[in-house]
Amino acid sequence: MKSTCMKWSALPVLVLMAGTVVLAEDLGAQEPDEAQSGSSATAATPAAEPTPAAKPKPTVARRKENQQDRIAQGVKSGQLTAGETSKLETKEAALNRETKADRAAHGGKLTAAEKKQINGQQNQLSKQIGKDKHNASTQHYANNKVDQRRENQQDRVAQGIKSGQMTAGEAAKAEKQQKGINRQVAADRKANGGTLTASEKKQVNHEQNAASKNIYHSKHNLKTQPQEQPKPN
């Protein structure tokens, strides 16, 4: 009888010990989640990410190439009219001549003051390109032989600018010629209720033949707009 009482009196102690073990296991199982959530005082601190290296500023040669690429895209998309392109390329050609003269005067290099001045001029040109590409003036052609040929000429000029086969000066002349043809076509159509007479079409076609020859000559002569990796200034 005495042993039976001892047996039953030890039972609550065993139950209490078992509950303590289970509670300890539950607490231990919660530690990984606490560390991930950051609530633990011993949570690992994530490694700091490396600071990305600052991008080098584009060189004078690289900026010139970027500007030409933007103009070529504007010509191709119709965002730049022939007149707008002619003015932009005229400015680019003048800037190229200035840069060439500065380099020649200093053994092929530019001084810090010259770099600053050219960069300022390129900033102005960049703003003008953006303005011209987003204004209301666009170059769109209808689905007829005259307009399709004008579009084809513009595509050839855009490709010549993009590839460097045409210098800024050559592109300016080609666009000035297209501007003149566009004005003539617009005036002829206005005078004839929106259409062109047979003789007017013949005249426009003759002028486009001349423009086509000029574009071809510009793209296959010895003058090019260098597109190689720019050398250090």
Side-chain angles (χ1 to χ4, degrees):
M1 181 68 180
K2 183 178 181 180
S3 60
T4 303
C5 291
M6 292 178 64
K7 179 179 178 180
W8 286 107
S9 62
L11 183 60
V13 175
L14 293 175
V15 173
L16 179 61
M17 291 177 63
T20 304
V21 171
V22 172
L23 178 60
E25 290 179 350
D26 290 342
L27 291 174
Q30 292 178 2
E31 288 180 0
D33 291 336
E34 291 174 351
Q36 291 177 2
S37 64
S39 60
S40 174
T42 58
T45 302
E49 295 183 0
T51 303
K55 293 183 179 179
K57 293 182 179 180
T59 62
V60 170
R62 176 59 65 189
R63 282 206 75 185
K64 178 173 66 175
E65 185 176 342
N66 289 344
Q67 303 285 50
Q68 289 299 93
D69 288 346
R70 292 175 63 203
I71 292 173
Q73 187 276 332
V75 173
K76 183 74 175 178
S77 66
Q79 289 175 290
L80 291 174
T81 66
E84 290 171 337
T85 305
S86 177
K87 291 179 181 179
L88 291 172
E89 290 291 3
T90 298
K91 291 181 179 180
E92 186 69 47
L95 186 53
N96 291 346
R97 288 193 297 269
E98 179 183 337
T99 303
K100 184 178 180 180
D102 289 341
R103 289 186 188 277
H106 299 96
K109 296 184 178 181
L110 296 172
T111 66
E114 289 168 343
K115 290 179 185 179
K116 184 177 181 180
Q117 181 178 354
I118 291 172
N119 190 58
Q121 291 171 303
Q122 284 286 16
N123 287 341
Q124 293 178 358
L125 182 61
S126 179
K127 291 179 182 179
Q128 189 63 50
I129 294 172
K131 181 180 178 181
D132 288 345
K133 290 177 71 174
H134 296 90
N135 61 15
S137 300
T138 55
Q139 197 80 59
H140 293 296
Y141 301 102
N143 188 22
N144 58 67
K145 290 183 178 180
V146 171
D147 286 334
Q148 286 298 309
R149 188 162 191 202
R150 286 194 296 163
E151 183 176 4
N152 181 58
Q153 303 285 49
Q154 288 297 93
D155 289 345
R156 292 173 63 201
V157 172
Q159 188 276 331
I161 295 172
K162 180 74 175 179
S163 67
Q165 289 176 287
M166 297 182 75
T167 66
E170 290 171 336
K173 290 180 181 179
E175 290 296 340
K176 185 176 182 180
Q177 192 169 15
Q178 286 300 312
K179 178 183 177 182
I181 295 174
N182 292 346
R183 282 182 173 178
Q184 178 184 332
V185 171
D188 289 342
R189 282 181 170 157
K190 185 177 181 180
N192 295 289
T195 61
L196 296 174
T197 65
S199 61
E200 289 169 344
K201 290 179 182 178
K202 184 177 180 180
Q203 176 64 25
V204 171
N205 192 57
H206 176 74
E207 292 176 0
Q208 285 290 19
N209 285 343
S212 180
K213 290 179 180 179
N214 290 339
I215 293 171
Y216 181 88
H217 177 72
S218 295
K219 293 177 68 174
H220 295 87
N221 60 14
L222 297 178
K223 297 178 181 180
T224 57
Q225 194 81 43
Q227 300 291 302
E228 71 272 7
Q229 290 295 325
K231 298 178 180 180
N233 295 322

